[in-house]
């Protein structure tokens, strides 16, 4: 998952190892879904979390809901930005 805020793309990947601004997304042959949420401003969350490490262990153990609170894997960034805006997509915080 990636976030576009103010025309800039932000994401976190296993290979980058942290949440950063990126210049492009390589999607290959994958099918992607894009949600445009014009009333969501994630700039505050992005500034507070830029360069936060990627949760490699959490990615491997997400079905068991074992993760680090101070690190994120790809789709957690979207969940957290929405949560900050009062939009709860996972109120029980179950593995997605």
């Amino acid at each position: 998952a990636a976030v576009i805020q103010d025309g800039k793309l932000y994401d976190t990947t296993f290979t980058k190892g942290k949440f950063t601004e990126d210049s492009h997304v390589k999607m290959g042959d994958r099918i992607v879904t894009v949600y445009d949420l014009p009333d969501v401003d994630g700039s505050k969350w992005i500034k507070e979390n830029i360069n936060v490490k990627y949760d490699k262990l959490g990615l491997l153990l997400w079905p068991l809901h074992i993760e680090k609170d101070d690190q994120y894997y790809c789709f957690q960034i979207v969940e957290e930005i929405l949560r900050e805006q009062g939009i709860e997509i996972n109120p029980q915080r179950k593995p997605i």
Side-chain angles (χ1 to χ4, degrees):
V3 174
I4 297 175
Q5 179 70 49
D6 300 326
K8 297 177 182 176
L9 178 107
Y10 299 89
D11 69 351
T12 185
T13 64
F14 190 90
T15 53
K16 286 193 323 186
K18 61 183 177 179
F19 177 65
T20 60
E21 182 179 340
D22 205 340
S23 59
H24 64 286
V25 175
K26 295 179 184 176
M27 290 183 253
D29 294 333
R30 296 184 301 167
I31 296 173
V32 298
T33 302
V34 176
Y35 294 96
D36 182 10
L37 303 170
D39 296 332
V40 172
D41 181 358
S43 57
K44 178 179 178 268
W45 190 92
I46 290 168
K47 286 177 188 175
E48 292 172 352
N49 291 280
I50 201 74
N51 293 317
V52 167
K53 289 185 178 184
Y54 187 88
D55 187 2
K56 294 177 181 178
L57 182 64
L59 176 66
L60 298 173
L61 298 175
W62 69 265
L64 303 173
H65 200 54
I66 297 172
E67 56 200 31
K68 296 182 178 183
D69 291 335
D70 61 344
Q71 296 181 6
Y72 298 106
Y73 42 91
C74 55
F75 47 83
Q76 279 184 309
I77 62 172
V78 173
E79 183 181 12
E80 292 300 322
I81 287 172
L82 292 174
R83 183 173 288 119
E84 180 186 68
Q85 297 290 307
I87 302 169
E88 187 62 63
I89 61 171
N90 187 10
Q92 291 82 25
R93 294 196 171 220
K94 294 181 179 178
I96 299 175

